[in-house]
Amino acid sequence: MPRRAEVDKWLAAYDNPMKAVVTRVREVILSVDARIDECIKWQTPTFMFEGNIASFNPRSKSHASLLFHAGATIPGKHPRLEGSGDVARTMKFGSVAEVESFERDLARTIQAWIAMKSNAMTREHSRGKSLTARGAAAKKKAAQKKAAQKKATPKQTARRKSPRKKAIRNNAAEVRKKQQAARKARPSRSKAAR
């Protein structure tokens, strides 16, 4: 993907001693694969490929900090990734020279993410449905359900939605029948008076 104007604009306005480091990290990430996209999310540049790969921490003044949103799930060993949480990992660079010396590590980490996501997409396609087809099928099913509910009368909808109400209605009907049977079994007062 080409560089996005919104990210260029953000970097132009970015007033931080790590601006050159952030710019170099951006260049490295975008050079790894042409399918990588970028945008501004959470008020910072974010890199994406089938989901968010990483975002910068714009407040860091002593180093450029790159947050890999799902860094713990990236397959392989990536010694530059720091953190021990369940999901996220970070990668820090203190200078442009450090970015240059660890460029291959950064590129390998990004490539591992792309391979992981590409394999996931391939598995979905091999099952006969792409991610977009699965999403479209779910939307179609939801639309059909909504259309069926609109066609139903309010009474039908209430009956369909609440089995408890149906049981209460059935119980009330039984009570009424018993009361009517009891009335018929009793002699009426008018007949007794005659």
Side-chain angles (χ1 to χ4, degrees):
M1 287 272 169
R3 294 170 182 246
R4 298 282 179 181
E6 67 179 325
V7 179
D8 289 334
K9 185 178 175 182
W10 184 92
L11 278 169
Y14 186 49
D15 184 26
N16 189 300
M18 291 290 115
K19 182 175 185 173
V21 180
V22 168
T23 302
R24 183 63 188 127
V25 170
R26 176 190 183 207
E27 291 168 357
V28 171
I29 292 172
L30 292 176
S31 70
V32 171
D33 193 299
R35 298 172 293 174
I36 295 174
D37 199 1
E38 64 179 350
C39 69
I40 300 295
K41 276 188 184 177
W42 305 289
Q43 301 174 357
T44 189
T46 299
F47 303 96
M48 301 167 299
F49 176 80
E50 297 299 322
N52 298 322
I53 302 172
S55 299
F56 286 108
N57 177 355
R59 295 182 184 158
S60 180
K61 302 228 186 257
S62 60
H63 54 266
S65 180
L66 190 61
L67 171 72
F68 286 82
H69 301 281
T73 64
I74 298 174
K77 292 186 178 182
H78 305 283
R80 294 283 301 171
L81 286 179
E82 300 174 11
S84 59
D86 293 341
V87 182
R89 296 287 184 269
T90 58
M91 193 176 285
K92 298 174 184 174
F93 300 96
S95 66
V96 174
E98 190 176 359
V99 176
E100 299 297 335
S101 64
F102 292 106
E103 181 177 341
R104 289 182 65 198
D105 290 339
L106 175 58
R108 281 189 203 132
T109 304
I110 300 294
Q111 288 165 344
W113 172 271
I114 291 170
M116 176 183 72
K117 289 298 188 172
S118 295
N119 289 339
M121 288 175 14
T122 303
R123 282 192 303 274
E124 287 296 326
H125 284 291
S126 68
R127 287 186 200 141
K129 286 189 174 180
S130 69
L131 295 173
T132 54
R134 290 177 74 197
K139 283 182 181 178
K140 183 177 178 181
K141 188 175 179 179
Q144 289 172 342
K145 186 177 178 181
K146 192 173 183 178
Q149 286 176 344
K150 282 184 178 180
K151 287 180 183 176
T153 65
K155 218 176 192 181
Q156 289 171 329
T157 305
R159 285 182 188 152
R160 217 178 310 152
K161 286 184 179 177
S162 177
R164 184 170 181 261
K165 285 184 179 179
K166 184 176 181 181
I168 292 170
R169 277 195 308 273
N170 289 343
N171 191 23
E174 288 177 27
V175 169
R176 279 194 302 274
K177 284 180 185 176
K178 286 179 183 177
Q179 288 173 344
Q180 288 172 351
R183 276 190 221 123
K184 286 181 182 177
R186 279 186 284 172
S188 68
R189 291 184 188 166
S190 59
K191 287 183 182 177
R194 292 185 198 166

